[in-house]
Amino acid sequence: MLSYQLQSAIKDLESLISLSQEDIDDIREAKHNPQFDRLAIKEEKIKSFEHKKAMIDREISKLMTQHPGTSLSELLDNEQHQQLDSLKTNLSLLREVNQQYAKMVLSVGSFYNTLLERVVPTQMEGYQKIASSEASFLEVRA
């Protein structure tokens, strides 16, 4: 059971890494809609991974409870050790990919905010930003 949960969690992580790489590629090409379309898929994969990780934790806890004097490294076989190493490697890779994506998202967001501020200047009035009188050249016509 533990091996199955580990393998399944690894597949979820690999899928999340792939989806995040696609997001990076799309943000480079200014394709924003595909990123939004993948959000639901990524959320499902995250929930699935979290569920499987909880199952893995329970299985390991159960093994430790059943064999109190034995270390975890002695309880797991070679395949399970390899799977745990793979899980750790994939988590680290996902973290790196997400950091790269986050940097790109922040850069693009900053660019758009700066552009918007130049097109429609705003000023703070209390806690709200409102369009300044200099933005009066913009009119909405029906």
Side-chain angles (χ1 to χ4, degrees):
M1 182 69 168
L2 179 60
S3 292
Y4 171 77
Q5 293 297 336
L6 284 166
Q7 192 60 40
S8 188
I10 291 167
K11 286 181 182 177
D12 282 346
L13 285 176
E14 289 171 345
S15 179
L16 282 167
I17 291 167
S18 175
L19 290 167
S20 295
Q21 280 297 138
E22 288 178 39
D23 286 344
I24 288 171
D25 294 340
D26 285 343
I27 203 169
R28 284 184 177 146
E29 297 177 18
K31 295 179 182 175
H32 305 295
N33 287 337
Q35 293 176 62
F36 296 127
D37 295 341
R38 281 191 290 273
L39 278 176
I41 297 168
K42 288 172 78 173
E43 287 173 0
E44 280 300 314
K45 290 290 181 186
I46 291 168
K47 286 179 188 175
S48 174
F49 172 76
E50 288 173 343
H51 175 73
K52 290 169 186 164
K53 177 153 178 339
M55 297 283 287
I56 291 167
D57 290 344
R58 273 184 281 212
E59 287 294 319
I60 289 175
S61 178
K62 188 179 356 174
L63 279 173
M64 296 295 288
T65 304
Q66 290 172 351
H67 308 345
T70 310
S71 69
L72 181 61
S73 61
E74 295 173 9
L75 292 174
L76 303 178
D77 62 26
N78 259 354
E79 180 185 354
Q80 290 168 334
H81 280 289
Q82 289 173 348
Q83 288 172 328
L84 281 172
D85 288 342
S86 180
L87 188 69
K88 182 179 177 181
T89 301
N90 280 312
L91 276 169
S92 179
L93 180 58
L94 179 62
R95 181 177 177 265
E96 290 173 21
V97 170
N98 280 336
Q99 283 179 334
Q100 181 183 6
Y101 179 63
K103 287 178 186 176
M104 295 177 85
V105 167
L106 287 173
S107 296
V108 169
S110 176
F111 168 75
Y112 281 120
N113 287 335
T114 303
L115 184 63
L116 181 61
E117 182 66 32
R118 287 185 181 171
V119 172
V120 183
T122 59
Q123 60 190 30
M124 292 299 290
E125 191 169 290
Y127 289 107
Q128 294 182 345
K129 276 189 172 183
I130 60 167
S132 68
S133 58
E134 298 168 13
S136 62
F137 69 92
L138 295 175
E139 289 183 18
V140 177
R141 295 182 185 174

